[in-house]
Amino acid sequence: MLERYGHGGDLRTAEECFGLPSSSFLDFSSNMNPLGPPDAVREELARYAAYIDRYPDPASRRLSAKLAAKHGIEENAILIGNGAAELIDLVVRALRPKAAAIAVPCFSEYGDAIRKAEAVLYEGLLLEAEQFELNQRWAKEALERSGAELYMIGSPNNPTGALVEPARVKELLASGATVVVDEAFMDFVPEEKSYSLVQEASRHPHLFVVRSMTKFYSIPGIRLGYIIGHPESLAELRRLQVPWSVNSLAQSIGEAVLSDEAFAQKSLRWLQEERPRMTRELEALGFRVYPGVTNYMLLRLPEGCGLHSRELQRKMGVEGVLIRDGSHFPGLDERYIRVAVKLREQNARLIDTLRTCMYGTGGQ
Ligand SMILES: Cc1ncc(COP(=O)(O)O)c(C=O)c1O
């Protein structure tokens, strides 16, 4: 099983499962920006030898200052972490909720962090009939039934790719609960200004926003993310965080990539072209493609294609193409897969391999 450790992008496990060298896989099971990393990353790597013998800045001050300027917020409303994953875990540990709610399907670390904190977990189902949208129905039911002191939601959500209307978050906040919004993929969204809650989180004592730098800048190996919250609310997270959790190379790379505005613009243009094109081609193969804004797509397998997600993942893996088996997400089953959006020729290989694995070489 490719998701042995709960996530996509595990090339070592792919090697063991499918008997091919890790370098030979085309990986649609994790969602990195295929245009990255930006050139500045290579330059930082070359400079790194000069400062590897020093401790990193324990407060990542230069990077915090750059992020504060990018978002137009105070520096002390930001805490940098070793990937968004560290901050998801840290915020739940700091808040110590007795009961917490998530909207499934979603990123598995929300539920894992809540279980580790021994809180009661409410999993409110997003419905296929509602295109997996976190809507008023969901919010109303969760408020009535969950007893949650903490809501953890993804916007855009993973694996659905759907944004959450800020009005829904405000409804949840109005109950007095704390809300953590994971905006790990928000950099890919051209309408970021209308959907991101970064500004509100910097002022509201019960709202936090988690951001990742690993997806958009394609640097998952370096581990870099940040959380935005009211400075007083962040104090407990700062207290609990492991010292020097963010190494000096990660800090410098973070600073460097933030300066590359051309990379950001090019990435937005690429996604606006490739996602609609790939949607059309996948629909022509019989897939149901759910509406979303991200560099990954949730798909339902064509009725009558005779394959489950696990079998399709295995057949694709043998061909050297990795996809995500949707059945590992609570709230989904073996009718669903998730694929990344990559460069045009890579996407074409995905489509061809799907066609071959589902229908044989002759096409649909
Ligand atoms: C929705 C979501 N949030 C957070 C993360 C973790 O990101 P990071 O690599 O910054 O820890 C992931 C990684 O897959 C994700 O999909």
Side-chain angles (χ1 to χ4, degrees), residues 177-230:
T178 296
V179 183
V180 176
V181 183
D182 177 6
E183 296 187 355
F185 290 93
M186 191 58 95
D187 285 310
F188 289 98
V189 180
E191 309 83 26
E192 172 176 358
K193 289 235 167 354
S194 312
Y195 285 93
S196 173
L197 289 165
V198 161
Q199 297 270 336
E200 287 80 351
S202 71
R203 297 186 295 261
H204 195 299
H206 297 140
L207 175 63
F208 295 88
V209 167
V210 174
R211 303 277 295 226
S212 171
M213 294 187 71
T214 73
K215 321 291 182 183
F216 190 69
Y217 298 105
S218 201
I219 47 171
I222 207 74
R223 317 301 307 124
L224 194 58
Y226 53 101
I227 186 163
I228 292 123
H230 189 283

Side-chain angles (χ1 to χ4, degrees), residues 7-8 30-32 81-88 106-110 154-159 182-185 210-215 219-221 223-226 296 324 338:
H7 300 287
S30 69
N31 308 317
M32 295 318 134
N82 191 258
E86 184 199 11
L87 298 163
I88 290 166
C106 65
F107 183 48
S108 60
E109 294 299 322
Y110 311 157
S155 179
N157 190 32
N158 179 7
D182 177 6
E183 296 187 355
F185 290 93
V210 174
R211 303 277 295 226
S212 171
M213 294 187 71
T214 73
K215 321 291 182 183
I219 47 171
R223 317 301 307 124
L224 194 58
Y226 53 101
Y296 55 84
R324 191 76 200 266
R338 193 198 66 198

